[in-house]
Amino acid sequence: MKKINTAIIDIGSNTIRLVFYEYDKNEGLHEFGNIKTVARLRTHILPNGEMAEEGIQLLLKTLSSFKQILADYNVTDIKAVATAAVRQAINNEAIITRMIQETGIAIDILSEEEEAYFGFIAVAHSMDTPSAVTIDIGGGSTEITLFKNKKLQKTISFPFGTVSLKQKFVQGHIINEQERLALQNYVKEGFKSLSWIENVKLPIIAIGGSARNVAQIHQQKVDYPLSGVHQYEMTRNDIIQLKEELAKMPFEQLKQLDGLSSDRADIIVPALEVFSSLMEVVGTQSFQLSKKGLREGLIISRILHEDVKAFDKYNVFEDNARRLAFEYGRSEEEVNMLNNLSEQFYRECCHVELLEYNEEHLQLIKKASKVFAIGEYIELDSSSQHTFYLLANQSIVGMNHEDRVKLALLASYKNRDYFRRFAAPFETWFTKEELKQIRDFGALLKFVYALNVSKRNIVSKITVELIDDIIHVVVTTSERAIAEAYQVERQKKHIERVFKRSVIIHFNEEGWK
């Protein structure tokens, strides 16, 4: 599959969304439009199990408006799916028939297992966490999965979600203490019935709108210096503290709370109770957020069905880095060259005991080499600033936030002054020793980057020797390397500062005739 433009209509119990995606083999999967309607279809389920006409009319009106938007976007490739509210309605077949007849949109009702599976697919292909318990809490159901080493082990769907829990336990707009205790007991009883999650001590990965809002509120609270919630991590204490704080707020204050969608003001505390209860049962301190969920799982599954090599869940970052580099004008050949040279130089420095070999350090250097100075695509003179901003301020699949900052600091390295400025908001994230190490690795990468300044990919080998306390770097090329020789002489000062030794560069032009 080379390229698709498609739309997913996700008919949930709380919201109905129309989301547009484009996929290109080189550039990857991108969302380019997102329209949401708060429908709360779950509230239109009657005591006899049918969805009331009012709910059906609301769905009909929403799909009709979505159809007009689809025409505006000129997208005809559409997948419409429905989850708990429609699935649980006993008249769902009649609902599906009416939607086809009156809007022309065919809706697939996902089973509980399918809903859980597609959520897992999205998480596995967008995060680097190898094993976890996932929770996707919607308005009318909650899907739990267990995966180990990126392989799905167990799934289950509970017939409760934020909207149905509010209906069952909450009398007013917001939950009181007595209602909270009743809700807690109910949810914990359900979770404790699953022996396969009890005390497994794996991270919780949360999917869905309520989870995103929890992360956004917490980021606002702590004045978080990064943008994006994908792979944001909180502790169990963070969840409990946030739950207690929000439970004390009046409804009107919750509606105005930064980071919280006003339509979720009445259901955010029930959602936090569910997250807190699950963390207790699982026995974990780690709560991670995945912005990718059901909709992305549907698209990824479709693409993989046609091209099994399109995504690699075991090398999530590597796939994304290649596409990121391509997006900012870097060829795959150049990416591979910088990656190989960076590894060679690091290993050579270790060989002569200028550095102590560490596999994690090598992997970090190799990752940063793939996107080093991508800000040149925007403007050469301010490449460092643009590189740092691009990497620090977008979600990078397969990389947690701490590693994302390390990557941005490494890949944007220009000099010590710029590094100090970029690192300032994150000084509490790292020790002084860690920051020095990142800075030194950035200097190494800047030196290596100079060896391919002409973009001809002519350097085939780097060797390092230490003679009389002077570092000799021998660079073997396939062609004459005047531009590289000039640039590397200018940049060698950075590694001289790192190693506190003089550096002499030798070019061995074996391939030049």
Side-chain angles (χ1 to χ4, degrees):
M1 179 180 288
K2 290 186 177 180
K3 191 169 185 177
I4 59 168
N5 267 35
T6 189
I8 297 285
I9 297 175
D10 179 3
I11 303 164
S13 300
N14 186 42
T15 62
I16 305 173
R17 284 186 184 266
L18 169 62
V19 186
F20 294 92
Y21 296 95
E22 58 183 359
Y23 170 77
D24 180 275
K25 189 173 183 179
N26 291 319
E27 297 180 10
L29 181 64
H30 296 284
E31 178 185 312
F32 67 92
N34 192 316
I35 295 95
K36 178 181 83 169
T37 295
V38 180
R40 296 228 167 156
L41 292 179
R42 182 61 182 78
T43 62
H44 295 286
I45 302 294
L46 300 172
N48 67 358
E50 289 188 351
M51 182 177 289
E53 180 62 23
E54 183 181 358
I56 296 172
Q57 285 294 329
L58 181 57
L59 176 57
L60 183 60
K61 180 182 177 181
T62 302
L63 292 184
S64 297
S65 68
F66 282 179
K67 194 171 181 181
Q68 294 174 343
I69 296 169
L70 284 160
D72 291 343
Y73 275 83
N74 196 29
V75 172
T76 56
D77 187 87
I78 307 160
K79 174 77 170 179
V81 297
T83 54
V86 176
R87 183 170 64 228
Q88 293 165 4
I90 62 172
N91 58 336
N92 54 32
E93 289 186 9
I95 294 170
I96 299 304
T97 301
R98 278 187 64 178
M99 295 307 123
I100 295 174
Q101 292 174 345
E102 300 188 39
T103 70
I105 296 175
I107 300 169
D108 288 339
I109 300 177
L110 297 180
S111 68
E112 297 169 344
E113 292 76 15
E114 287 174 324
E115 188 175 357
Y117 172 75
F118 289 123
F120 156 74
I121 288 293
V123 167
H125 289 85
S126 69
M127 297 182 71
D128 61 350
T129 307
S131 304
V133 173
T134 73
I135 176 169
D136 184 354
I137 181 167
S141 68
T142 296
E143 281 66 48
I144 305 288
T145 76
L146 170 68
F147 68 87
K148 293 181 178 180
N149 298 318
K150 293 289 182 86
K151 293 181 180 179
L152 188 60
Q153 306 292 315
K154 298 278 188 178
T155 70
I156 193 170
S157 179
F158 288 99
F160 59 76
T162 52
V163 177
S164 60
L165 286 171
K166 180 179 182 294
Q167 286 180 297
K168 185 178 181 68
F169 292 100
V170 185
Q171 296 299 312
H173 281 305
I174 55 175
I175 194 167
N176 62 38
E177 187 62 27
Q178 186 176 356
E179 291 167 341
R180 282 176 63 194
L181 289 172
L183 187 151
Q184 279 179 19
N185 292 333
Y186 175 77
V187 170
K188 281 182 187 176
E189 185 179 350
F191 291 155
K192 285 182 177 179
S193 69
L194 307 177
S195 60
W196 45 272
I197 66 167
E198 195 163 13
N199 210 34
V200 292
K201 300 186 184 303
L202 291 173
I204 300 292
I205 298 178
I207 305 167
S210 292
R212 288 194 299 272
N213 274 253
V214 166
Q216 288 165 185
I217 296 166
H218 191 256
Q219 288 181 341
Q220 291 286 335
K221 176 187 171 187
V222 300
D223 196 21
Y224 198 63
L226 286 185
S227 63
V229 296
H230 187 62
Q231 296 201 178
Y232 185 64
E233 188 165 355
M234 298 168 65
T235 66
R236 187 175 169 213
N237 285 338
D238 291 332
I239 294 292
I240 292 171
Q241 188 175 5
L242 194 62
K243 178 183 69 171
E244 297 301 329
E245 289 177 8
L246 268 54
K248 295 174 183 176
M249 289 185 182
F251 183 59
E252 290 303 318
Q253 186 178 353
L254 280 170
K255 287 170 68 176
Q256 299 300 319
L257 186 64
D258 288 341
L260 177 60
S261 299
S262 57
D263 56 272
R264 293 186 185 273
D266 59 336
I267 57 176
I268 193 65
V269 175
L272 280 162
E273 290 291 356
V274 174
F275 296 145
S276 176
S277 296
L278 182 61
M279 292 185 81
E280 181 181 333
V281 172
V282 171
T284 185
Q285 294 297 319
S286 177
F287 180 89
Q288 301 174 12
L289 191 282
S290 172
K291 193 179 178 184
K292 314 297 183 183
L294 170 66
R295 296 181 292 273
E296 288 77 16
L298 286 162
I299 297 288
I300 291 169
S301 293
R302 173 185 170 184
I303 295 168
L304 286 171
H305 182 72
E306 298 187 32
D307 180 5
V308 294
K309 295 182 179 179
F311 300 97
D312 183 355
K313 64 185 179 182
Y314 296 107
N315 294 287
V316 178
F317 172 80
E318 283 70 17
D319 268 3
N320 189 60
R322 178 176 56 81
R323 289 162 177 156
L324 191 63
F326 179 85
E327 185 178 350
Y328 292 102
R330 188 157 294 169
S331 69
E332 188 166 353
E333 185 181 12
E334 184 182 357
V335 170
N336 291 336
M337 171 64 70
L338 293 171
N339 191 43
N340 291 336
L341 293 181
S342 299
E343 180 172 2
Q344 280 187 44
F345 190 55
Y346 176 80
R347 289 184 182 277
E348 285 290 309
C349 289
C350 293
H351 180 69
V352 296
E353 298 182 350
L354 291 169
L355 295 171
E356 185 177 344
Y357 181 82
N358 182 295
E359 182 64 24
E360 287 186 10
H361 295 166
L362 174 58
Q363 293 308 315
L364 180 60
I365 289 169
K366 290 176 67 176
K367 287 176 179 179
S369 73
K370 296 179 180 181
V371 290
F372 189 86
I374 59 170
E376 286 182 355
Y377 181 81
I378 299 173
E379 188 176 28
L380 184 63
D381 289 345
S382 54
S383 166
S384 180
Q385 296 97 312
H386 288 304
T387 300
F388 184 81
Y389 184 86
L390 287 170
L391 295 174
N393 290 282
Q394 66 173 303
S395 295
I396 298 179
V397 298
M399 182 163 281
N400 64 41
H401 288 207
E402 185 177 302
D403 285 344
R404 191 168 109 201
V405 173
K406 289 181 182 178
L407 181 81
L409 289 170
L410 272 167
S412 65
Y413 187 83
K414 181 177 183 179
N415 55 42
R416 293 188 175 197
D417 181 55
Y418 273 86
F419 181 88
R420 193 179 303 113
R421 278 189 269 168
F422 293 154
F426 310 99
E427 285 182 345
T428 59
W429 291 30
F430 308 106
T431 65
K432 288 183 179 180
E433 290 74 19
E434 285 174 320
L435 285 172
K436 180 184 180 301
Q437 195 171 69
I438 296 168
R439 186 191 69 197
D440 290 350
F441 291 159
L444 265 63
L445 281 175
K446 186 166 180 63
F447 176 78
V448 169
Y449 190 69
L451 291 171
N452 198 40
V453 67
S454 69
K455 316 294 184 187
R456 292 177 296 159
N457 307 312
I458 60 173
V459 176
S460 59
K461 187 178 179 183
I462 307 174
T463 56
V464 177
E465 296 179 8
L466 193 59
I467 303 172
D468 296 330
D469 214 33
I470 295 174
I471 300 170
H472 294 262
V473 180
V474 181
V475 182
T476 304
T477 66
S478 59
E479 298 179 33
R480 186 172 58 181
I482 294 176
E484 281 73 18
Y486 168 77
Q487 191 65 19
V488 84
E489 279 295 328
R490 295 184 63 205
Q491 302 304 330
K492 73 177 185 180
K493 63 185 179 184
H494 296 291
I495 57 171
E496 286 179 331
R497 288 173 185 160
V498 171
F499 298 127
K500 296 179 174 56
R501 291 176 171 89
S502 296
V503 173
I504 299 175
I505 314 295
H506 309 272
F507 277 83
N508 182 7
E509 301 162 4
E510 287 183 343
W512 182 47
K513 298 179 181 179

